[in-house]
Amino acid sequence: MTRYARVIVDVAHSDVDRLFDYILPDGMEAVPGMRLRIPFGHRMREGYLLEIRNETDVPQDKLKQVSAVIDPEPVILPHLVDLARFIARKYHCTMAEALRLMIPAQMRGERVKAREQAILRLAVPRDEALEESEKIRKKAKRQSELLCLLAEKGEYPRAALPQEMAGAVLPLLRKGLIQSENRREHRRPYVESALAGSIPDKLTGTQKLCLDRILSGMGRGGRFLLHGVTGSGKTEVYLQAAQKALDKGLGVIILVPEISLTPQMTARILSRFGDQVAVLHSRLSAGERYDQWCLLREGKARVAVGARSAIFAPVENLGLIVIDEEHESSYSSEHTPRYRASEVAEELSRMSGAALVLGSATPSVLTYHRALEGELELLSMPMRVGTAKQPSVTVVDMRRELAMGNRGVLSGAMVEGLRSCFARGEQAVLFLNRRGFAGFVSCRACGEVIRCEHCDISMTYHRSVNLLQCHYCGASRPLPKVCPSCGSRSIALFGDGTEKLEAQLASLFPDIRVLRMDADTTRTKNSHEQILSAFARGEAQILIGTQMITKGLDFERVTMVGVVAADLSLFHGDGLGTERTFQLICQVCGRAGRGELPGTAVIQTYVPNHYVIRCAARNEYEAFYRREMQERQARLLPPFVRVMRLILSGEDEDAVLEDLTYFRSEAEKALENIPEKYVNEVQDSLILLEGMKAPAERIRGFYRYQLLCRAKEGRGAEILERLFSRLEECAPPRSSHAALEINPNTMI
Ligand code: ADP
Ligand code: ZN
Ligand code: ZN
């Protein structure tokens, strides 16, 4: 009987986003999950075999034959095919695009090869070999030595032989005295082990309770939010849950925001589970990444650790999925398919029964909201482990510093804190967030931030037009010369910093060694690890850096942390700056006093009474959450509304503007078509804004414009989703790049 292969062709175009039937020639062995080579159009293509059937609807004369099978084993596990279907549906991409997520990019087009290693061993009994060695000692010294070596070691990699012995291999092979076997070798990435830490003797009561709940969810798809302050022992809970899963013969996936920023976490997992771990991340070489993936696919490793794409790791019989620091924006993909790792993980947990644990000291407001609504089980760990205490926090009002004549970057309290920290021989971390594309404008005398009259959201300065703009409603106004609140002329663009900071540190503490960690100092592979290890070894007393230093660091000797400019991210024009700033400050402060030594933190701000600063300084998550929800309700932000955002970008600004006009009119048309009976409801609950410049007007030479639409939950949100689907089908006439998203994590 003829067999037909049903294939997704590896071409990411919606016109061919369906199954194609091919004849599977007699004797060609293939099973679903393998890739095939197939004729398509006028070319040969790769395709994913999803099904084999005995019949087809395609007329016989239209059918072509499969040319070849590419993989000896299926590369896509059955459950990952299902997951790809989910991704294609949920994130509106083609099946080919979704399936591509499931294999290492390097595998497509066969660009990497497995690396094999030749292993030499004796082909005759040991005694016989030694006898022969003795016999030929005079006339073939090298051969004699090689026989001795193999008799002693049992086996030896050919590539590792001393150079002078290399010539002895062939003659001995020919004589049948030794044999060579090719063995698959897995390249293992470099890991700094100084960061690993030790295993505690026993769990605290709270840890045990949380662990038990998680274990009870294993096998039935339990979903948990593990909310624990920094240092409460969350990681230990993940690790022990993972151990239990392995004991039961189940696999584990652990996601971390970015491997290179969290070397300690990786080191702890590796030191605990050793060879059972495969690490997947973008900084590995193509070969390393492929090898790590193979370890999982072949079942030789059962724990996958990696950034967001590791959610697609080929782990069979999944028992546990952990997403550490679940609030991190890096869990959302910025490329098509624009998936969110946590949503994919939920589906995976539903499909496999694996327990899902989202962990954070500062969960995203939306996740916490879902936990309170009962969609996730909330597990709380409010105390640090052992004697470690939360650091004592000082909030410094920078307006008063200015009034007292201090025009420097560092306040008196910060300098004092550093001085006494260095005097005790301990270490300090200074955090300066200088990222951000467009700045907000504030008054250095009274702290006032220029806000939109309509939205109470800070306005963003756009240099190109010399105007302030509101990114919520699009309103704009010129830059004021004096502060509208106090009349001071000290009104300025916020944002200068690092150079001034370094200069001030150098003049205050000439003998202190400083390490800097930011985008400029971490371009090369392993540079994060190198900087952090140098700091761990005490080679510098102070580490200054951007966001990068806020995560996962756990150094016993760090007793002082400083937030140089807490406000820098607070008034971000997308209305989400409050949450991000709260998270940042809590994370940074959590770096101090994690060991025996007590910690202190100094937060510098122009708005000391802002709820974000107050709650973060006291480490009060619930208080922050309640207030933030009130603000969001008042300002119409998620979870109370849904926001749809279309970003158009391109090198030709006029073309982008034309496309923007086109999309805007398509959106209007779509909204005119809504059923009569909803019109009134929609008028109150759905707002389509004029197109406007994106907060980051230009990135890498691309002009960026955005179109926003907001709708209240309920009917409005329903219509918003419909509008989304409608716009998705539109092709920009001038072919700008279009990216459409609902409730985006960031709005730059
Ligand atoms: P988190 O992930 O919440 O920041 P960790 O799991 O890293 O917390 O724990 C913080 C510190 O406490 C680590 O140094 C860890 O080794 C230690 N620790 C965790 N659990 C225990 C325990 N049960 N007993 C003793 N020390 C522990
Ligand atoms: Zn003022
Ligand atoms: Zn506005």
Side-chain angles (χ1 to χ4, degrees), residues 202-355:
K202 81 190 225 297
L203 291 182
T204 65
T206 319
Q207 280 175 320
K208 189 143 188 345
L209 279 176
C210 295
L211 179 63
D212 286 346
R213 292 304 305 145
I214 292 168
L215 295 181
S216 79
M218 224 179 259
R220 57 166 191 86
R223 298 200 297 265
F224 305 90
L225 171 59
L226 183 56
H227 175 215
V229 296
T230 48
S232 60
K234 295 185 294 297
T235 306
E236 194 53 42
V237 172
Y238 308 148
L239 294 177
Q240 302 223 2
Q243 183 64 61
K244 283 285 187 325
L246 291 174
D247 292 348
K248 289 189 194 172
L250 302 174
V252 178
I253 294 177
I254 302 177
L255 300 191
V256 293
E258 201 194 309
I259 289 268
S260 52
L261 300 187
T262 50
Q264 279 183 321
M265 179 76 171
T266 320
R268 273 171 84 177
I269 297 167
L270 279 165
S271 80
R272 200 70 64 96
F273 304 118
D275 284 353
Q276 304 195 76
V277 182
V279 183
L280 301 164
H281 65 90
S282 54
R283 286 196 181 214
L284 296 180
S285 70
E288 283 171 340
R289 204 178 152 80
Y290 173 70
D291 284 356
Q292 293 292 303
W293 185 88
C294 289
L295 282 173
L296 291 165
R297 176 63 195 84
E298 293 160 18
K300 293 186 180 120
R302 305 284 293 140
V303 181
V305 184
R308 64 169 179 259
S309 62
I311 195 65
F312 306 116
V315 179
E316 275 173 299
N317 297 324
L318 202 57
L320 177 70
I321 309 166
V322 173
I323 304 186
D324 188 32
E325 310 283 5
E326 70 82 29
H327 60 275
E328 284 290 329
S329 59
S330 63
Y331 287 126
S332 294
S333 169
E334 297 119 40
H335 319 286
T336 310
R338 301 168 85 85
Y339 67 90
R340 288 184 195 192
S342 58
E343 288 170 348
V344 177
E346 271 190 41
E347 179 63 17
L348 192 53
S349 145
R350 215 169 277 132
M351 283 166 31
S352 64

